[in-house]
Every structure is written in C-alpha cells, then in structure tokens.
Amino acid sequence: MSHSHDSLTRLSKYLSLVLRHHPEKIHLSIDEHGWADAQELIDNTLAAGRFDLSRDVLEEIVRTDSKQRYSWSEDGRRIRANQGHSIPVDLELAPQTPPDVLYHGTGQKSVSSIQRQGLLHMKRLYVHLSRDIDTAVTVGRRHGACAVFRVNAAQMARDGFPFYQSVNRVWLTGHVPAHYLHLLDG
C-alpha cells in the first residue's frame, strides 16, 4: 500500500513522538542507547490502531526524511531517533571540535530569557545548534517570528564545553551561557 507524502509526514511525527519522548504510549521498549526493535515498533503501532505501519513504510520514512531523523542498526533490526530525545538515552557520541561559529534559531518571544539565561536544553538532552544561518532560520520559524543567535563555539570549546555532532550533522551541547551568544539583526 503506497502512502501519500502527508501520511508519511504524519507517520514520521508519530515515530518521533514514540522514539524520542513517549515509547510507553505504545509499550515500546527502548534501550539505553535509544534503540527500539523495529518489529516491536511495527507490531505495537498496529496494535495501538494508530497507523498502518509496515517494514516497507518504515524503511521509506527513514530513507526519505528530510532531516534524517532516524537510523537503522547495522543488522537492520533496530531503529532509533538520531537526536532530540527527552527520555535519557546515551547516543554514544564522541566529543568533537565544533566549527568556530554555530547558530541557534528560536522564536522572538524567547529572546529576552535567552539573553538572561543563555540557551538551555529545556526538555531535551542537548541544545541543538546549526552550522549555518539558513538552517537556524528554518528552525526558528517553527516558533513564529524568528530570531537567530550566533554562538561563539570556538571560545566555548576552549573554555571546556563539550560539543557533539549527531548522525544527521546537528551540533549538540549541554548549555550555552549568555556571554557566548550574539543576537543577529533581522
């Protein structure tokens, strides 16, 4: 059965919900590294009556997701979200030296609190940072009127803050104190 682009988008959002935040909604077990058994994901999704999920559809979502949100294990039996978890998982990422400058897009409504507190990871495990302004703007627009901060990642790294890069090339760090941030003019 072929799925429309819209139904694949809805399914991808649903996978994101269960793999990153609420596996218990469909009684899915996720190991400490974020991996779920693909067949269990399919079976439990079908049992929950939410979506008509099959292995083919799952493979199509992983292959076509524009943000590359998901990965298969080497044996192809397990699946996980690449980043964005609110449940505690260890994605086994090695610390890496970031580019000198990274960017963070957000909503205008968050600007004053970010200028006071810096970037906090909130409900997620990490703050997500982009390599380029365009990506940061795309992210920020999800929150309404967009604001973009430039992050002095080089200085943060020199000062001992660890940075990680997810499989889909998003830069991650625990907290960005306000003095490493510069609000870009719209």
Side-chain angles (χ1 to χ4, degrees), residues 26-57:
I26 60 166
H27 311 292
L28 182 66
S29 45
I30 289 188
D31 76 10
E32 70 272 25
H33 302 299
W35 293 109
D37 181 272
Q39 195 56 53
E40 185 186 342
L41 172 62
I42 292 165
D43 294 345
N44 293 16
T45 297
L46 292 172
R50 294 292 306 275
F51 290 97
D52 184 17
L53 187 60
S54 67
R55 176 72 190 210
D56 288 348
V57 172

PDB file of all heavy atoms in Angstrom, residues 26-57:
ATOM      1  N   ILE A  26       3.005   3.262  23.401  1.00  0.00           N
ATOM      2  CA  ILE A  26       2.677   2.020  22.688  1.00  0.00           C
ATOM      3  C   ILE A  26       3.420   0.823  23.292  1.00  0.00           C
ATOM      4  O   ILE A  26       3.645  -0.176  22.628  1.00  0.00           O
ATOM      5  CB  ILE A  26       2.956   2.127  21.165  1.00  0.00           C
ATOM      6  CG1 ILE A  26       4.426   2.434  20.894  1.00  0.00           C
ATOM      7  CG2 ILE A  26       2.020   3.140  20.504  1.00  0.00           C
ATOM      8  CD1 ILE A  26       4.835   2.214  19.435  1.00  0.00           C
ATOM      9  N   HIS A  27       3.818   0.981  24.587  1.00  0.00           N
ATOM     10  CA  HIS A  27       4.503  -0.116  25.302  1.00  0.00           C
ATOM     11  C   HIS A  27       5.747  -0.583  24.552  1.00  0.00           C
ATOM     12  O   HIS A  27       6.004  -1.784  24.430  1.00  0.00           O
ATOM     13  CB  HIS A  27       3.547  -1.296  25.550  1.00  0.00           C
ATOM     14  CG  HIS A  27       2.243  -0.861  26.140  1.00  0.00           C
ATOM     15  ND1 HIS A  27       2.136  -0.349  27.413  1.00  0.00           N
ATOM     16  CD2 HIS A  27       1.000  -0.820  25.605  1.00  0.00           C
ATOM     17  CE1 HIS A  27       0.870  -0.019  27.657  1.00  0.00           C
ATOM     18  NE2 HIS A  27       0.160  -0.294  26.578  1.00  0.00           N
ATOM     19  N   LEU A  28       6.506   0.379  24.034  1.00  0.00           N
ATOM     20  CA  LEU A  28       7.714   0.071  23.265  1.00  0.00           C
ATOM     21  C   LEU A  28       8.918   0.137  24.197  1.00  0.00           C
ATOM     22  O   LEU A  28       9.067   1.091  24.950  1.00  0.00           O
ATOM     23  CB  LEU A  28       7.869   1.108  22.142  1.00  0.00           C
ATOM     24  CG  LEU A  28       9.050   0.933  21.198  1.00  0.00           C
ATOM     25  CD1 LEU A  28       8.899  -0.343  20.366  1.00  0.00           C
ATOM     26  CD2 LEU A  28       9.171   2.148  20.278  1.00  0.00           C
ATOM     27  N   SER A  29       9.770  -0.876  24.153  1.00  0.00           N
ATOM     28  CA  SER A  29      10.975  -0.791  24.975  1.00  0.00           C
ATOM     29  C   SER A  29      12.112  -0.213  24.148  1.00  0.00           C
ATOM     30  O   SER A  29      12.322  -0.591  22.995  1.00  0.00           O
ATOM     31  CB  SER A  29      11.342  -2.157  25.542  1.00  0.00           C
ATOM     32  OG  SER A  29      11.260  -3.140  24.549  1.00  0.00           O
ATOM     33  N   ILE A  30      12.814   0.744  24.768  1.00  0.00           N
ATOM     34  CA  ILE A  30      13.957   1.410  24.134  1.00  0.00           C
ATOM     35  C   ILE A  30      15.155   1.197  25.042  1.00  0.00           C
ATOM     36  O   ILE A  30      15.058   1.408  26.245  1.00  0.00           O
ATOM     37  CB  ILE A  30      13.659   2.910  23.936  1.00  0.00           C
ATOM     38  CG1 ILE A  30      12.609   3.059  22.836  1.00  0.00           C
ATOM     39  CG2 ILE A  30      14.913   3.696  23.611  1.00  0.00           C
ATOM     40  CD1 ILE A  30      12.332   4.463  22.395  1.00  0.00           C
ATOM     41  N   ASP A  31      16.271   0.774  24.457  1.00  0.00           N
ATOM     42  CA  ASP A  31      17.440   0.512  25.308  1.00  0.00           C
ATOM     43  C   ASP A  31      18.150   1.819  25.667  1.00  0.00           C
ATOM     44  O   ASP A  31      17.742   2.909  25.251  1.00  0.00           O
ATOM     45  CB  ASP A  31      18.377  -0.531  24.680  1.00  0.00           C
ATOM     46  CG  ASP A  31      19.224   0.015  23.532  1.00  0.00           C
ATOM     47  OD1 ASP A  31      19.256   1.246  23.302  1.00  0.00           O
ATOM     48  OD2 ASP A  31      19.868  -0.812  22.861  1.00  0.00           O
ATOM     49  N   GLU A  32      19.232   1.705  26.434  1.00  0.00           N
ATOM     50  CA  GLU A  32      19.883   2.909  26.964  1.00  0.00           C
ATOM     51  C   GLU A  32      20.540   3.751  25.888  1.00  0.00           C
ATOM     52  O   GLU A  32      20.896   4.898  26.115  1.00  0.00           O
ATOM     53  CB  GLU A  32      20.904   2.529  28.045  1.00  0.00           C
ATOM     54  CG  GLU A  32      22.149   1.802  27.533  1.00  0.00           C
ATOM     55  CD  GLU A  32      22.005   0.276  27.456  1.00  0.00           C
ATOM     56  OE1 GLU A  32      20.867  -0.224  27.326  1.00  0.00           O
ATOM     57  OE2 GLU A  32      23.045  -0.408  27.509  1.00  0.00           O
ATOM     58  N   HIS A  33      20.686   3.207  24.688  1.00  0.00           N
ATOM     59  CA  HIS A  33      21.260   3.972  23.582  1.00  0.00           C
ATOM     60  C   HIS A  33      20.194   4.464  22.599  1.00  0.00           C
ATOM     61  O   HIS A  33      20.523   4.952  21.519  1.00  0.00           O
ATOM     62  CB  HIS A  33      22.319   3.148  22.853  1.00  0.00           C
ATOM     63  CG  HIS A  33      23.432   2.712  23.764  1.00  0.00           C
ATOM     64  ND1 HIS A  33      24.240   3.602  24.430  1.00  0.00           N
ATOM     65  CD2 HIS A  33      23.838   1.481  24.144  1.00  0.00           C
ATOM     66  CE1 HIS A  33      25.113   2.927  25.180  1.00  0.00           C
ATOM     67  NE2 HIS A  33      24.888   1.656  25.026  1.00  0.00           N
ATOM     68  N   GLY A  34      18.932   4.298  22.961  1.00  0.00           N
ATOM     69  CA  GLY A  34      17.842   4.822  22.141  1.00  0.00           C
ATOM     70  C   GLY A  34      17.306   3.862  21.093  1.00  0.00           C
ATOM     71  O   GLY A  34      16.437   4.220  20.306  1.00  0.00           O
ATOM     72  N   TRP A  35      17.827   2.618  21.054  1.00  0.00           N
ATOM     73  CA  TRP A  35      17.393   1.662  20.031  1.00  0.00           C
ATOM     74  C   TRP A  35      16.088   0.965  20.417  1.00  0.00           C
ATOM     75  O   TRP A  35      15.911   0.568  21.559  1.00  0.00           O
ATOM     76  CB  TRP A  35      18.459   0.578  19.818  1.00  0.00           C
ATOM     77  CG  TRP A  35      19.736   1.071  19.228  1.00  0.00           C
ATOM     78  CD1 TRP A  35      20.938   1.196  19.865  1.00  0.00           C
ATOM     79  CD2 TRP A  35      19.958   1.497  17.879  1.00  0.00           C
ATOM     80  NE1 TRP A  35      21.882   1.677  18.986  1.00  0.00           N
ATOM     81  CE2 TRP A  35      21.319   1.867  17.773  1.00  0.00           C
ATOM     82  CE3 TRP A  35      19.126   1.603  16.756  1.00  0.00           C
ATOM     83  CZ2 TRP A  35      21.876   2.334  16.584  1.00  0.00           C
ATOM     84  CZ3 TRP A  35      19.681   2.066  15.574  1.00  0.00           C
ATOM     85  CH2 TRP A  35      21.031   2.429  15.494  1.00  0.00           C
ATOM     86  N   ALA A  36      15.224   0.813  19.430  1.00  0.00           N
ATOM     87  CA  ALA A  36      13.994   0.032  19.588  1.00  0.00           C
ATOM     88  C   ALA A  36      14.009  -1.090  18.548  1.00  0.00           C
ATOM     89  O   ALA A  36      14.544  -0.906  17.449  1.00  0.00           O
ATOM     90  CB  ALA A  36      12.769   0.917  19.365  1.00  0.00           C
ATOM     91  N   ASP A  37      13.434  -2.215  18.896  1.00  0.00           N
ATOM     92  CA  ASP A  37      13.293  -3.312  17.948  1.00  0.00           C
ATOM     93  C   ASP A  37      12.273  -2.889  16.885  1.00  0.00           C
ATOM     94  O   ASP A  37      11.146  -2.497  17.212  1.00  0.00           O
ATOM     95  CB  ASP A  37      12.823  -4.566  18.684  1.00  0.00           C
ATOM     96  CG  ASP A  37      12.672  -5.741  17.744  1.00  0.00           C
ATOM     97  OD1 ASP A  37      11.573  -5.894  17.162  1.00  0.00           O
ATOM     98  OD2 ASP A  37      13.644  -6.495  17.580  1.00  0.00           O
ATOM     99  N   ALA A  38      12.679  -2.932  15.623  1.00  0.00           N
ATOM    100  CA  ALA A  38      11.820  -2.430  14.534  1.00  0.00           C
ATOM    101  C   ALA A  38      10.510  -3.213  14.450  1.00  0.00           C
ATOM    102  O   ALA A  38       9.443  -2.626  14.254  1.00  0.00           O
ATOM    103  CB  ALA A  38      12.569  -2.481  13.204  1.00  0.00           C
ATOM    104  N   GLN A  39      10.577  -4.537  14.603  1.00  0.00           N
ATOM    105  CA  GLN A  39       9.354  -5.334  14.508  1.00  0.00           C
ATOM    106  C   GLN A  39       8.405  -5.029  15.669  1.00  0.00           C
ATOM    107  O   GLN A  39       7.199  -4.953  15.484  1.00  0.00           O
ATOM    108  CB  GLN A  39       9.685  -6.837  14.470  1.00  0.00           C
ATOM    109  CG  GLN A  39       8.503  -7.696  14.016  1.00  0.00           C
ATOM    110  CD  GLN A  39       7.942  -7.275  12.651  1.00  0.00           C
ATOM    111  OE1 GLN A  39       8.672  -7.179  11.675  1.00  0.00           O
ATOM    112  NE2 GLN A  39       6.644  -6.990  12.584  1.00  0.00           N
ATOM    113  N   GLU A  40       8.978  -4.820  16.845  1.00  0.00           N
ATOM    114  CA  GLU A  40       8.151  -4.457  18.002  1.00  0.00           C
ATOM    115  C   GLU A  40       7.481  -3.097  17.766  1.00  0.00           C
ATOM    116  O   GLU A  40       6.305  -2.905  18.085  1.00  0.00           O
ATOM    117  CB  GLU A  40       9.012  -4.415  19.276  1.00  0.00           C
ATOM    118  CG  GLU A  40       8.199  -4.156  20.540  1.00  0.00           C
ATOM    119  CD  GLU A  40       9.069  -3.976  21.786  1.00  0.00           C
ATOM    120  OE1 GLU A  40      10.256  -4.375  21.780  1.00  0.00           O
ATOM    121  OE2 GLU A  40       8.549  -3.419  22.768  1.00  0.00           O
ATOM    122  N   LEU A  41       8.232  -2.160  17.168  1.00  0.00           N
ATOM    123  CA  LEU A  41       7.666  -0.847  16.842  1.00  0.00           C
ATOM    124  C   LEU A  41       6.482  -1.006  15.881  1.00  0.00           C
ATOM    125  O   LEU A  41       5.418  -0.410  16.084  1.00  0.00           O
ATOM    126  CB  LEU A  41       8.748   0.039  16.219  1.00  0.00           C
ATOM    127  CG  LEU A  41       8.283   1.388  15.653  1.00  0.00           C
ATOM    128  CD1 LEU A  41       7.699   2.281  16.735  1.00  0.00           C
ATOM    129  CD2 LEU A  41       9.442   2.095  14.947  1.00  0.00           C
ATOM    130  N   ILE A  42       6.662  -1.820  14.864  1.00  0.00           N
ATOM    131  CA  ILE A  42       5.595  -2.056  13.882  1.00  0.00           C
ATOM    132  C   ILE A  42       4.394  -2.732  14.555  1.00  0.00           C
ATOM    133  O   ILE A  42       3.253  -2.264  14.444  1.00  0.00           O
ATOM    134  CB  ILE A  42       6.120  -2.906  12.702  1.00  0.00           C
ATOM    135  CG1 ILE A  42       7.137  -2.095  11.890  1.00  0.00           C
ATOM    136  CG2 ILE A  42       4.965  -3.385  11.810  1.00  0.00           C
ATOM    137  CD1 ILE A  42       7.994  -2.926  10.936  1.00  0.00           C
ATOM    138  N   ASP A  43       4.654  -3.825  15.267  1.00  0.00           N
ATOM    139  CA  ASP A  43       3.569  -4.581  15.911  1.00  0.00           C
ATOM    140  C   ASP A  43       2.793  -3.720  16.909  1.00  0.00           C
ATOM    141  O   ASP A  43       1.554  -3.741  16.927  1.00  0.00           O
ATOM    142  CB  ASP A  43       4.124  -5.818  16.638  1.00  0.00           C
ATOM    143  CG  ASP A  43       4.707  -6.849  15.671  1.00  0.00           C
ATOM    144  OD1 ASP A  43       4.436  -6.753  14.452  1.00  0.00           O
ATOM    145  OD2 ASP A  43       5.447  -7.742  16.134  1.00  0.00           O
ATOM    146  N   ASN A  44       3.517  -2.962  17.737  1.00  0.00           N
ATOM    147  CA  ASN A  44       2.853  -2.163  18.771  1.00  0.00           C
ATOM    148  C   ASN A  44       2.094  -0.985  18.180  1.00  0.00           C
ATOM    149  O   ASN A  44       1.068  -0.576  18.708  1.00  0.00           O
ATOM    150  CB  ASN A  44       3.867  -1.684  19.816  1.00  0.00           C
ATOM    151  CG  ASN A  44       4.457  -2.828  20.630  1.00  0.00           C
ATOM    152  OD1 ASN A  44       4.350  -3.988  20.244  1.00  0.00           O
ATOM    153  ND2 ASN A  44       5.086  -2.505  21.739  1.00  0.00           N
ATOM    154  N   THR A  45       2.604  -0.448  17.064  1.00  0.00           N
ATOM    155  CA  THR A  45       1.891   0.636  16.375  1.00  0.00           C
ATOM    156  C   THR A  45       0.580   0.108  15.801  1.00  0.00           C
ATOM    157  O   THR A  45      -0.474   0.731  15.943  1.00  0.00           O
ATOM    158  CB  THR A  45       2.774   1.231  15.259  1.00  0.00           C
ATOM    159  OG1 THR A  45       3.941   1.800  15.854  1.00  0.00           O
ATOM    160  CG2 THR A  45       2.035   2.309  14.478  1.00  0.00           C
ATOM    161  N   LEU A  46       0.650  -1.067  15.170  1.00  0.00           N
ATOM    162  CA  LEU A  46      -0.564  -1.680  14.615  1.00  0.00           C
ATOM    163  C   LEU A  46      -1.550  -2.011  15.732  1.00  0.00           C
ATOM    164  O   LEU A  46      -2.748  -1.757  15.614  1.00  0.00           O
ATOM    165  CB  LEU A  46      -0.209  -2.941  13.817  1.00  0.00           C
ATOM    166  CG  LEU A  46       0.577  -2.701  12.518  1.00  0.00           C
ATOM    167  CD1 LEU A  46       1.047  -4.029  11.924  1.00  0.00           C
ATOM    168  CD2 LEU A  46      -0.253  -1.924  11.508  1.00  0.00           C
ATOM    169  N   ALA A  47      -1.042  -2.556  16.839  1.00  0.00           N
ATOM    170  CA  ALA A  47      -1.911  -2.929  17.965  1.00  0.00           C
ATOM    171  C   ALA A  47      -2.594  -1.700  18.563  1.00  0.00           C
ATOM    172  O   ALA A  47      -3.735  -1.767  19.008  1.00  0.00           O
ATOM    173  CB  ALA A  47      -1.102  -3.653  19.045  1.00  0.00           C
ATOM    174  N   ALA A  48      -1.892  -0.567  18.540  1.00  0.00           N
ATOM    175  CA  ALA A  48      -2.469   0.668  19.079  1.00  0.00           C
ATOM    176  C   ALA A  48      -3.518   1.252  18.130  1.00  0.00           C
ATOM    177  O   ALA A  48      -4.261   2.153  18.500  1.00  0.00           O
ATOM    178  CB  ALA A  48      -1.370   1.698  19.331  1.00  0.00           C
ATOM    179  N   GLY A  49      -3.559   0.716  16.898  1.00  0.00           N
ATOM    180  CA  GLY A  49      -4.561   1.163  15.934  1.00  0.00           C
ATOM    181  C   GLY A  49      -4.335   2.570  15.418  1.00  0.00           C
ATOM    182  O   GLY A  49      -5.246   3.202  14.887  1.00  0.00           O
ATOM    183  N   ARG A  50      -3.108   3.081  15.570  1.00  0.00           N
ATOM    184  CA  ARG A  50      -2.845   4.460  15.164  1.00  0.00           C
ATOM    185  C   ARG A  50      -2.546   4.586  13.674  1.00  0.00           C
ATOM    186  O   ARG A  50      -3.042   5.463  12.999  1.00  0.00           O
ATOM    187  CB  ARG A  50      -1.659   5.031  15.959  1.00  0.00           C
ATOM    188  CG  ARG A  50      -1.888   5.194  17.443  1.00  0.00           C
ATOM    189  CD  ARG A  50      -2.905   6.283  17.762  1.00  0.00           C
ATOM    190  NE  ARG A  50      -2.568   7.561  17.156  1.00  0.00           N
ATOM    191  CZ  ARG A  50      -1.749   8.448  17.681  1.00  0.00           C
ATOM    192  NH1 ARG A  50      -1.184   8.212  18.828  1.00  0.00           N
ATOM    193  NH2 ARG A  50      -1.513   9.584  17.057  1.00  0.00           N
ATOM    194  N   PHE A  51      -1.674   3.710  13.169  1.00  0.00           N
ATOM    195  CA  PHE A  51      -1.224   3.817  11.787  1.00  0.00           C
ATOM    196  C   PHE A  51      -1.057   2.430  11.189  1.00  0.00           C
ATOM    197  O   PHE A  51      -0.801   1.468  11.896  1.00  0.00           O
ATOM    198  CB  PHE A  51       0.133   4.542  11.706  1.00  0.00           C
ATOM    199  CG  PHE A  51       0.060   5.996  12.038  1.00  0.00           C
ATOM    200  CD1 PHE A  51       0.371   6.431  13.315  1.00  0.00           C
ATOM    201  CD2 PHE A  51      -0.312   6.929  11.086  1.00  0.00           C
ATOM    202  CE1 PHE A  51       0.312   7.787  13.630  1.00  0.00           C
ATOM    203  CE2 PHE A  51      -0.372   8.279  11.389  1.00  0.00           C
ATOM    204  CZ  PHE A  51      -0.064   8.704  12.660  1.00  0.00           C
ATOM    205  N   ASP A  52      -1.158   2.386   9.868  1.00  0.00           N
ATOM    206  CA  ASP A  52      -0.930   1.160   9.118  1.00  0.00           C
ATOM    207  C   ASP A  52       0.555   1.117   8.775  1.00  0.00           C
ATOM    208  O   ASP A  52       0.966   1.560   7.713  1.00  0.00           O
ATOM    209  CB  ASP A  52      -1.800   1.195   7.849  1.00  0.00           C
ATOM    210  CG  ASP A  52      -1.677  -0.089   7.064  1.00  0.00           C
ATOM    211  OD1 ASP A  52      -1.211  -1.088   7.641  1.00  0.00           O
ATOM    212  OD2 ASP A  52      -2.032  -0.087   5.871  1.00  0.00           O
ATOM    213  N   LEU A  53       1.364   0.635   9.734  1.00  0.00           N
ATOM    214  CA  LEU A  53       2.815   0.663   9.575  1.00  0.00           C
ATOM    215  C   LEU A  53       3.330  -0.701   9.145  1.00  0.00           C
ATOM    216  O   LEU A  53       2.889  -1.726   9.659  1.00  0.00           O
ATOM    217  CB  LEU A  53       3.463   1.067  10.912  1.00  0.00           C
ATOM    218  CG  LEU A  53       4.968   1.323  10.909  1.00  0.00           C
ATOM    219  CD1 LEU A  53       5.346   2.447   9.953  1.00  0.00           C
ATOM    220  CD2 LEU A  53       5.445   1.662  12.324  1.00  0.00           C
ATOM    221  N   SER A  54       4.261  -0.699   8.194  1.00  0.00           N
ATOM    222  CA  SER A  54       4.905  -1.940   7.756  1.00  0.00           C
ATOM    223  C   SER A  54       6.402  -1.685   7.662  1.00  0.00           C
ATOM    224  O   SER A  54       6.855  -0.545   7.733  1.00  0.00           O
ATOM    225  CB  SER A  54       4.381  -2.347   6.379  1.00  0.00           C
ATOM    226  OG  SER A  54       4.810  -1.389   5.411  1.00  0.00           O
ATOM    227  N   ARG A  55       7.170  -2.744   7.474  1.00  0.00           N
ATOM    228  CA  ARG A  55       8.619  -2.598   7.326  1.00  0.00           C
ATOM    229  C   ARG A  55       8.955  -1.697   6.123  1.00  0.00           C
ATOM    230  O   ARG A  55       9.821  -0.835   6.209  1.00  0.00           O
ATOM    231  CB  ARG A  55       9.251  -3.990   7.157  1.00  0.00           C
ATOM    232  CG  ARG A  55      10.746  -3.990   6.892  1.00  0.00           C
ATOM    233  CD  ARG A  55      11.548  -3.614   8.120  1.00  0.00           C
ATOM    234  NE  ARG A  55      12.946  -3.402   7.798  1.00  0.00           N
ATOM    235  CZ  ARG A  55      13.948  -3.628   8.634  1.00  0.00           C
ATOM    236  NH1 ARG A  55      13.709  -4.078   9.852  1.00  0.00           N
ATOM    237  NH2 ARG A  55      15.184  -3.399   8.273  1.00  0.00           N
ATOM    238  N   ASP A  56       8.235  -1.894   5.020  1.00  0.00           N
ATOM    239  CA  ASP A  56       8.488  -1.082   3.818  1.00  0.00           C
ATOM    240  C   ASP A  56       8.259   0.399   4.087  1.00  0.00           C
ATOM    241  O   ASP A  56       9.036   1.254   3.663  1.00  0.00           O
ATOM    242  CB  ASP A  56       7.592  -1.529   2.651  1.00  0.00           C
ATOM    243  CG  ASP A  56       8.026  -2.869   2.078  1.00  0.00           C
ATOM    244  OD1 ASP A  56       9.141  -3.335   2.427  1.00  0.00           O
ATOM    245  OD2 ASP A  56       7.258  -3.445   1.297  1.00  0.00           O
ATOM    246  N   VAL A  57       7.175   0.699   4.800  1.00  0.00           N
ATOM    247  CA  VAL A  57       6.851   2.094   5.095  1.00  0.00           C
ATOM    248  C   VAL A  57       7.907   2.684   6.036  1.00  0.00           C
ATOM    249  O   VAL A  57       8.381   3.805   5.839  1.00  0.00           O
ATOM    250  CB  VAL A  57       5.437   2.208   5.717  1.00  0.00           C
ATOM    251  CG1 VAL A  57       5.173   3.626   6.211  1.00  0.00           C
ATOM    252  CG2 VAL A  57       4.389   1.799   4.685  1.00  0.00           C
TER     253      VAL A  57
END
